[in-house]
Amino acid sequence: DQTDPSEFGREVHALLAGDLSPDTAAPEALRLAAAFHAGDWGRRAALADRVEREQGFLISLDGRLVSGQIDLWFRHDGETVVLDYKTDAVSAEQVPGRAAAYELQLRLYALAVERLAATPVDRAILYFLRPNIPVEVAVDPAALAAARLRVEELFQAQDRLDFPLRTGPHCRFCPHFGALCPAPRMPDP
């Protein structure tokens, strides 16, 4: 049984990328990968004209360098899709709230794919593997413009060394909460 969520997430990602033999994977990682592959998005990726997995990127957004690693993007039936796997231990009821925390990340991935593939992204999907729930994230021009603005705000905060503390339910999922972060402890839900 996996106890380290980060290590488990890396194992599932490696399995989904084809970089880990199923013979060495944990049963729960195999179950999550199999459920994804059997679902609609897994089948679409399997039929895609172009598939890129675990693609690293470094792009300039308005003169600011942004880097990351995209779990999966593909072209199928003339549609370009960016998909990000999440191994978060969430229930179906918790998915919408957790998805909101990842929207900026997925929009940045869409901007990166647009730059890398010279084509706009039609759909962006956060795929929560444990409850087996996909969540579509808007990647229309207004949403991508807002993402660019948020990146600029983050860089400006970094330049000023001004990072106001914004505590909330999302803090419970942060590895720094209760350790390096000065946020006060919150009662459990």
Side-chain angles (χ1 to χ4, degrees), residues 101-181:
Y102 292 116
E103 288 178 350
L104 175 61
Q105 175 189 6
L106 211 55
R107 290 181 180 129
L108 293 175
Y109 290 176
L111 289 167
V113 168
E114 183 175 313
R115 194 78 54 83
L116 296 168
T119 186
V121 170
D122 299 294
R123 299 179 83 177
I125 306 296
L126 284 165
Y127 202 100
F128 290 86
L129 293 163
R130 289 180 194 260
N132 199 24
I133 296 175
V135 176
E136 190 155 358
V137 173
V139 288
D140 58 87
L144 295 180
R148 292 176 90 105
L149 179 61
R150 184 70 181 122
V151 167
E152 182 56 31
E153 290 169 353
L154 291 169
F155 275 104
Q156 287 177 6
Q158 185 177 17
D159 291 345
R160 293 187 314 269
L161 297 178
D162 178 27
F163 303 101
L165 191 59
R166 293 185 179 132
T167 58
H170 59 275
C171 291
R172 285 188 181 82
F173 308 108
C174 178
H176 305 293
F177 183 63
L180 295 174
C181 179

Side-chain angles (χ1 to χ4, degrees), residues 11-31:
E11 182 176 355
V12 172
H13 278 73
L15 192 58
L16 287 165
D19 295 336
L20 179 67
S21 168
D23 298 336
T24 61
E28 178 67 0
L30 287 170
R31 185 187 71 75

Side-chain angles (χ1 to χ4, degrees), residues 16 31-44 46 127 132:
L16 287 165
R31 185 187 71 75
L32 296 180
F36 174 77
H37 288 301
D40 184 47
W41 289 107
R43 288 191 309 271
R44 288 184 198 194
Y127 202 100
N132 199 24

